[in-house]
Amino acid sequence: MGAYLNKICQTPNLDNLAKNSLIFNKAFTSVSSCSPSRSAILTGMPSHENGMYGLHQGVHHFDSLEVDSLPKILRRHSIRTGIIGKKHVGPGDVYPFDYAQTEENNSILQVGRNITYIKLLTREFLNSTEDKPFFLYIAFHDPHRCGHTNPQYGEFCERFGNGEEGMGLIPDWTPIYYQWDEIVPPYYIPDTEAARKDIDAQYITMSRLDQGVGLVLKELQDAGHLDDTLVIFSSDNGVPFPNGRTNFYDSGIAEPMFISSPIHRERRNQITNSLTSLLDIVPTLLDWYGISENVTQNWATNNIEEKRNLTGKSLLPLLIKEPDDKSNEAIFASHNLHEVTMYYPMRMIRTQRYKLIHNLNYASPFPIDQDFYLSPTFQDLLNRTKSHEPTNWFKTLKSYYNRPEWELYDLKVDPAEINNLALKPSMKEVFNQLKKRLFEWQKDTQDPWICAPHAVLENQGSYKNNPSCLDLDNIW
């Protein structure tokens, strides 16, 4: 989008929102996978702690544990909650919205991509609030891929509702079209005709998302709530391209984020380079609503008790002032599975300068998900690799599939994360410091994978009061 200096893709509504917001330059998801990321957004807990280990739907069938979620907390404080669009988390009693128009009771194409319908649903919700405090979570499905489920509408459903014969018409959408040969792919996407046309299709759906955001903000204004409502715009996981979604490289976890506050005007149209995680959204909203309640999960009884500590932080102070010292900032990430067959658990810590990734299942090839596999970009990359043609990519598929247990990058000199420093003697102190901080975060978030892959966690019976990692002697 234009606010992040893209010179091709046209996003005037998002750019206008950015001008009235603090723009986050270093916002990251805690997991680059659909359901796990959405569960983290709505609980403030990483997926290994809230139980949403992978995709929620179909054969994957992952569900969150009986944890406290944002809609639960807000309901206890008489705040009306609503969700429009893609929900993709469960079970329902963990995420109980007062108003819900999602793929569970609608076509996802309608509630996720039909911006006219989304506009009308937004109006319906706002008219039902009776001027009471509310929380509305609008989850656009653009610009997600859809070619594997609805190929008739194009790789990104860019033809859905465009007025062509058989495509239907979304009255409020004016598609914006591009010249694929004028698009310059970012460094992590192959510079090929197939990839450029793929990006072109995604850009078209960005116009639908952008115009949808404009419609929603207009509904907020018409309802008289534009000047008393905190607006957060972000995404949930990485782009569905090579080195993107399901990865912990910056190309897979970096997110757009704008926060517009009617109260905090000091830093509108400014940027922050403070490290931010989507795990910060719940603490931010609790701060906004003035909810000081802290609760904890009693794992023995499954009851909610007082004083649960979220590892995220409120972002509201950033709307007033940039931190004087960001040198000790760190964000963390945790991935277990995407599809149920894609077991590739990873843990990550990222500071302002360094990133450490722990690949727990490093002996197996990095897995590829279904919709990305069928994409024109990946098929072209795969076929070029098989036929020994130039891929015009900054990696090889062999190096992409086969990863070491530890990856350490100096982001100051290597922002593309190519030169792994994990085994470099001069980086031993940095490696050990990051490893220790990552382990402490895993302890704080009760990570079941904390001892993997070289030990077994024992925390019951004789070890109940002294949880221990017992060595497997499996390093040869």
Side-chain angles (χ1 to χ4, degrees):
M1 61 187 75
Y4 287 102
L5 306 184
N6 188 305
K7 293 179 173 58
I8 302 293
C9 192
Q10 302 299 300
T11 53
N13 293 284
L14 286 165
D15 298 345
N16 188 57
L17 176 60
K19 290 176 182 176
N20 291 289
S21 305
L22 180 63
I23 303 168
F24 289 73
N25 261 1
K26 293 183 178 178
F28 301 93
T29 182
S30 68
V31 50
S32 190
S33 173
C34 304
S35 299
S37 177
R38 290 166 184 266
S39 69
I41 289 171
L42 291 171
T43 65
M45 305 161 124
S47 60
H48 68 248
E49 187 176 16
N50 69 47
M52 187 65 68
Y53 302 139
L55 299 184
H56 171 62
Q57 85 286 4
V59 298
H60 318 299
H61 199 58
F62 290 104
D63 276 315
S64 288
L65 303 168
E66 189 57 37
V67 296
D68 213 24
S69 68
L70 185 62
K72 273 188 178 181
I73 297 171
L74 298 184
R75 176 178 284 185
R76 290 200 295 269
H77 290 265
S78 302
I79 295 169
R80 181 165 169 76
T81 61
I83 178 172
I84 298 169
K86 188 177 179 184
K87 186 179 181 184
H88 209 196
V89 291
D93 57 357
V94 172
Y95 303 98
F97 288 88
D98 299 318
Y99 176 93
Q101 297 289 348
T102 72
E103 75 278 10
E104 295 178 353
N105 55 356
N106 292 269
S107 160
I108 186 59
L109 288 171
Q110 295 299 327
V111 293
R113 301 186 194 263
N114 184 341
I115 60 175
T116 298
Y117 191 42
I118 293 169
K119 173 190 74 174
L120 296 175
L121 294 175
T122 300
R123 184 181 303 170
E124 182 177 74
F125 173 81
L126 293 174
N127 287 341
S128 71
T129 61
E130 298 177 349
D131 289 328
K132 294 180 180 178
F134 65 85
F135 166 73
L136 178 57
Y137 173 46
I138 299 181
F140 293 93
H141 202 198
D142 288 321
H144 199 287
R145 286 190 185 275
C146 81
H148 65 304
T149 56
N150 297 99
Q152 69 273 26
Y153 294 124
E155 185 57 32
F156 286 89
C157 277
E158 68 274 11
R159 299 179 66 197
F160 174 71
N162 70 358
E164 294 177 7
E165 185 177 354
M167 296 296 106
L169 177 67
I170 299 173
D172 289 297
W173 179 36
T174 302
I176 299 176
Y177 298 99
Y178 302 90
Q179 293 294 119
W180 66 265
D181 54 348
E182 294 180 359
I183 291 173
V184 180
Y187 71 91
Y188 54 87
I189 297 178
D191 190 356
T192 61
E193 179 177 337
R196 288 184 180 218
K197 288 182 175 178
D198 218 3
I199 297 171
D200 178 28
Q202 190 182 45
Y203 279 8
I204 297 171
T205 64
M206 279 297 297
S207 69
R208 189 164 53 205
L209 167 66
D210 177 73
Q211 292 167 39
V213 169
L215 292 172
V216 167
L217 293 177
K218 181 64 165 54
E219 290 300 318
L220 196 62
Q221 181 180 38
D222 291 348
H225 286 300
L226 191 62
D227 294 327
D228 64 11
T229 302
L230 185 77
V231 176
I232 301 177
F233 175 83
S234 189
S235 188
D236 61 347
N237 48 252
V239 294
F241 283 93
N243 226 59
R245 188 180 62 196
T246 73
N247 283 279
F248 277 166
Y249 307 118
D250 275 10
S251 48
I253 60 172
E255 302 294 354
M257 182 180 280
F258 311 142
I259 299 184
S260 178
S261 167
I263 298 173
H264 310 88
R265 298 173 179 266
E266 296 89 334
R267 304 193 65 199
R268 286 189 171 184
N269 203 24
Q270 294 184 21
I271 65 168
T272 175
N273 284 305
S274 185
L275 289 178
T276 303
S277 168
L278 296 190
L279 293 173
D280 297 333
I281 289 179
V282 167
T284 300
L285 292 176
L286 295 183
D287 190 7
W288 173 256
Y289 290 112
I291 298 174
S292 58
E293 140 189 10
N294 282 323
V295 294
T296 188
Q297 178 77 29
N298 186 319
W299 297 96
T301 64
N302 268 344
N303 291 327
I304 302 296
E305 298 177 353
E306 299 220 351
K307 296 189 178 172
R308 171 172 64 90
N309 293 317
L310 297 169
T311 58
K313 62 185 181 301
S314 172
L315 301 175
L316 296 187
L318 288 174
L319 304 184
I320 301 170
K321 185 178 183 294
E322 187 78 353
D324 294 327
D325 183 8
K326 296 188 281 287
S327 60
N328 201 44
E329 289 183 341
I331 55 109
F332 300 86
S334 165
H335 177 98
N336 301 299
L337 305 97
H338 184 66
E339 295 163 8
V340 71
T341 55
M342 296 173 62
Y343 182 68
Y344 205 85
M346 301 177 288
R347 301 295 181 265
M348 184 212 77
I349 176 174
R350 188 198 193 281
T351 66
Q352 287 285 356
R353 178 161 182 175
Y354 297 107
K355 177 184 291 182
L356 181 66
I357 301 173
H358 190 191
N359 298 309
L360 278 65
N361 198 22
Y362 63 96
S364 293
F366 185 80
I368 305 298
D369 53 308
Q370 290 176 326
D371 61 338
F372 173 51
Y373 180 84
L374 292 177
S375 71
T377 298
F378 186 78
Q379 283 297 303
D380 183 63
L381 178 59
L382 185 65
N383 291 333
R384 285 170 178 264
T385 300
K386 287 180 175 180
S387 60
H388 305 288
E389 297 177 31
T391 62
N392 296 336
W393 193 35
F394 79 133
K395 290 184 175 180
T396 65
L397 275 181
K398 182 178 181 180
S399 67
Y400 189 67
Y401 292 149
N402 300 303
R403 306 182 183 188
E405 180 177 1
W406 295 97
E407 297 177 70
L408 173 62
Y409 300 106
D410 184 343
L411 302 172
K412 182 178 180 180
V413 299
D414 181 25
E417 298 165 271
I418 297 173
N419 186 21
N420 183 10
L421 306 175
L423 299 180
K424 195 170 183 178
S426 63
M427 298 299 293
K428 186 175 181 180
E429 183 178 353
V430 171
F431 177 87
N432 287 335
Q433 288 175 350
L434 293 174
K435 184 178 178 182
K436 181 180 179 182
R437 290 184 71 178
L438 181 58
F439 184 78
E440 290 300 318
W441 180 74
Q442 290 182 264
K443 283 202 302 184
D444 290 343
T445 54
Q446 305 179 68
D447 187 354
W449 281 265
I450 191 169
C451 300
H454 303 303
V456 171
L457 172 64
E458 293 290 355
N459 58 3
Q460 302 294 324
S462 303
Y463 295 92
K464 185 173 183 179
N465 297 321
N466 183 32
S468 301
C469 290
L470 302 185
D471 180 38
L472 285 168
D473 190 26
N474 63 359
I475 302 177
W476 300 290

